[in-house]
Amino acid sequence: MASLRCWSLCPKPRQVASESVHGAQLALQRLSRRCETCDVEAGTRCKCREEAVAQDGGKVAVVEVKGEERRSEPNSSFAHSAINMVGMLIGLGQLSTPYALENGGWASVFLLIGLGVMCAYTAHIIGRCLDEDSGSKTYQDIGEQAFGVKGRVIASTIIYLEIFLALVSYTISLSDNLPLVFAGVHLHLPWLHLSATQLLTIIAVLVALPSLWLRDLSSISFLSFAGIIMSLLIFGSVVCTAAFGGVNLGKHISVLQLEKIPVVSGLYMFSYAGHIVLPNIYTAMKDPSSFTKVSVTSFAVVTALYVALAFVGASLFGPAVSSQITLSMPPHLVVSKVALWATVLTPVTKYALEFAPFAIQLQHHLPEGMGPRARMFVRGAVGSAALLVILALALSVPYFQYVLSLTGSLVSVAICVIFPCAFYLKIYWGRVPKSTVTLNVVLMVTGVVLAVVGTISSAKSLVQSIQRGHAA
């Protein structure tokens, strides 16, 4: 995911608290700056504020401050915005595209491309919704603009659910790849009935845990850039394996396996998840009228990368391809080791970033008289408890492809397809031609079908895998 220019909360007359999914760092950069006057974190009460109102029920925190407004003007160029969007979209989903193509058949690439086109269109209409109301700065603002407080609450709930499930998927990925990174390492504690893989995963999560206790959240913003580098390293490693790794391309890929399409659709959908961050990219643009061109360009680039990665990975390994391409790469190759390390380090860079929205929202609901140290303790304790729950769930349900597919079908389809169309129709009702209404209704129905069928199929496969695991 990409970084945007930071806006400071404290010196700004009105600032909207933003929560995002895989773009949590964007919210973090806009909200986690420190107040220079009072030396406290943004989101906490400080003396320079004239009035602070934190509305409950998922409502946005609005801050009125004394003094002169100091706000950086939006200045992201077309190229900068496109790079931000591409970097935001490429993430965990790329690991599973070869597996999805091999299981769905080469014809399923049309589904991958079709979903990319759908998401590019819904990105466009999110921009249209932001055009309509200059006060809307976040995805939740658009929900409230369309359906009032209920729209904001529903959008926020789905966003937090996706963050939670995405972190579970990251932790499962960490657990799957760690044994290959530390091949030959044998850990055993006689008083704990845990495997070496589970112990390594616990150690890795505990190493990342202190980042949740940082008093100044802006100090972890560098992790955003690290996440982009890791994603690019993984993609480059797969390409290098095909070109120089001595693994022959040309493994057979079936035409179409219709019965596996529901699970595959969830995997593909998760790969495009990121619409929560689009309003942040829009508001940072010097020329917001170019947002549609940026969206089309970015989704075209990402779709092309996914198609290339899917075909290369599936052609390299065929039916033996794993749910994460890194697990299939020859372990003796240097590029394989690079890809494995990148995959292992990615979750470690994500925990604090993804928890930032929770931390920010939590700060708005803490008592006014609570000091900075107490706030840090509460935020760290809550974050640590949540991360330990995620760790326990990931170790209990270590089935990456089904958890990822469930996330894509259950929440990503709603965020990327269903909600944007519903918001757009509600906001522009009576002002768009019937053809546009028909198009958006068709997309909503398609999204609902993908969500229902994909959720049922992936949940069923997940339950069956759990049952087989207990029986073994």
Side-chain angles (χ1 to χ4, degrees):
M1 300 179 188
S3 300
L4 295 179
R5 185 173 298 274
C6 301
W7 288 1
S8 176
L9 172 63
C10 250
K12 188 179 173 188
R14 294 182 66 84
Q15 175 67 57
V16 179
S18 166
E19 305 90 9
S20 61
V21 182
H22 303 299
Q25 65 271 32
L26 297 176
L28 152 66
Q29 289 176 336
R30 294 176 64 185
L31 294 172
S32 61
R33 304 290 300 276
R34 298 180 66 80
C35 177
E36 297 174 358
T37 303
C38 302
D39 190 31
V40 297
E41 296 174 16
T44 62
R45 312 286 186 182
C46 63
K47 295 178 181 178
C48 69
R49 286 190 174 92
E50 181 178 30
E51 177 185 354
V53 181
Q55 300 176 5
D56 293 329
K59 290 284 285 181
V60 55
V62 179
V63 179
E64 304 289 346
V65 299
K66 292 180 179 179
E68 180 182 354
E69 177 179 359
R70 292 175 290 171
R71 168 178 168 177
S72 299
E73 290 298 325
N75 64 351
S76 289
S77 64
F78 180 96
H80 184 197
S81 301
I83 291 171
N84 279 341
M85 194 175 294
V86 170
M88 174 270 299
L89 289 170
I90 297 178
L92 189 63
Q94 69 173 331
L95 297 178
S96 63
T97 50
Y99 171 87
L101 183 73
E102 201 286 326
N103 278 267
W106 64 260
S108 70
V109 73
F110 294 108
L111 175 61
L112 176 61
I113 296 172
L115 290 175
V117 172
M118 289 171 59
C119 289
Y121 172 75
T122 54
H124 156 69
I125 60 177
I126 283 178
R128 290 291 309 278
C129 293
L130 293 168
D131 288 338
E132 180 68 11
D133 182 4
S134 60
S136 293
K137 303 296 183 183
T138 69
Y139 192 94
Q140 294 94 320
D141 289 344
I142 299 173
E144 185 173 19
Q145 179 186 351
F147 296 104
V149 176
K150 290 183 179 179
R152 173 177 289 277
V153 172
I154 292 173
S156 297
T157 301
I158 297 297
I159 287 169
Y160 289 133
L161 179 60
E162 187 174 20
I163 291 177
F164 181 83
L165 292 176
L167 287 175
V168 172
S169 299
Y170 274 116
T171 308
I172 295 173
S173 175
L174 177 68
S175 179
D176 289 343
N177 286 273
L178 271 174
L180 297 180
V181 171
F182 296 100
V185 175
H186 300 286
L187 293 178
H188 176 67
L189 297 177
W191 45 276
L192 276 179
H193 299 289
L194 297 173
S195 66
T197 297
Q198 291 173 325
L199 288 173
L200 284 171
T201 306
I202 293 172
I203 292 172
V205 171
L206 291 178
V207 167
L209 198 61
S211 65
L212 303 180
W213 289 76
L214 291 174
R215 180 181 175 188
D216 184 4
L217 294 177
S218 62
S219 61
I220 62 172
S221 60
F222 74 94
L223 295 177
S224 170
F225 180 72
I228 299 173
I229 296 300
M230 300 305 166
S231 296
L232 294 177
L233 284 175
I234 293 169
F235 180 81
S237 298
V238 175
V239 173
C240 289
T241 299
F244 313 110
V247 182
N248 295 324
L249 291 166
K251 300 295 190 302
H252 175 72
I253 305 174
S254 60
V255 178
L256 182 65
Q257 300 187 65
L258 198 59
E259 71 281 1
K260 295 183 179 180
I261 289 299
V263 171
V264 167
S265 68
L267 294 174
Y268 284 156
M269 193 70 250
F270 184 87
S271 300
Y272 292 112
H275 282 53
I276 306 306
V277 193
L278 297 183
N280 300 84
I281 295 176
Y282 175 96
T283 55
M285 289 184 65
K286 181 167 53 179
D287 179 17
S289 64
S290 300
F291 181 76
T292 294
K293 293 181 181 178
V294 168
S295 299
V296 172
T297 301
S298 301
F299 277 94
V301 169
V302 169
T303 301
L305 290 176
Y306 284 158
V307 170
L309 183 60
F311 271 109
V312 169
S315 297
L316 280 173
F317 306 111
V321 68
S322 299
S323 59
Q324 300 171 68
I325 185 64
T326 51
L327 301 179
S328 298
M329 297 172 67
H332 64 280
L333 297 178
V334 173
V335 290
S336 299
K337 298 181 187 300
V338 171
L340 286 169
W341 270 107
T343 306
V344 164
L345 291 175
T346 296
V348 176
T349 67
K350 295 293 183 183
Y351 290 130
L353 290 172
E354 297 284 3
F355 270 115
F358 292 104
I360 293 165
Q361 193 63 247
L362 178 62
Q363 287 181 158
H364 291 309
H365 294 279
L366 293 177
E368 182 176 353
M370 184 176 289
R373 291 182 181 276
R375 288 176 178 274
M376 180 191 68
F377 178 81
V378 172
R379 183 179 66 236
V382 172
S384 299
L387 184 55
L388 293 178
V389 170
I390 288 170
L391 172 63
L393 187 58
L395 294 179
S396 303
V397 190
Y399 307 105
F400 178 81
Q401 66 271 38
Y402 300 130
V403 173
L404 202 67
S405 178
L406 180 64
T407 305
S409 298
L410 184 62
V411 290
S412 297
V413 172
I415 290 173
C416 298
V417 179
I418 300 173
F419 286 3
C421 292
F423 295 162
Y424 179 69
L425 288 180
K426 182 64 168 62
I427 292 171
Y428 281 93
W429 188 256
R431 291 182 287 163
V432 292
K434 290 183 179 180
S435 59
T436 301
V437 174
T438 301
L439 173 61
N440 281 270
V441 170
V442 168
L443 290 179
M444 289 172 62
V445 172
T446 302
V448 170
V449 171
L450 289 174
V452 172
V453 175
T455 299
I456 293 174
S457 181
S458 54
K460 181 180 178 182
S461 298
L462 182 60
V463 170
Q464 289 174 345
S465 297
I466 294 172
Q467 290 174 341
R468 285 195 297 268
H470 287 321

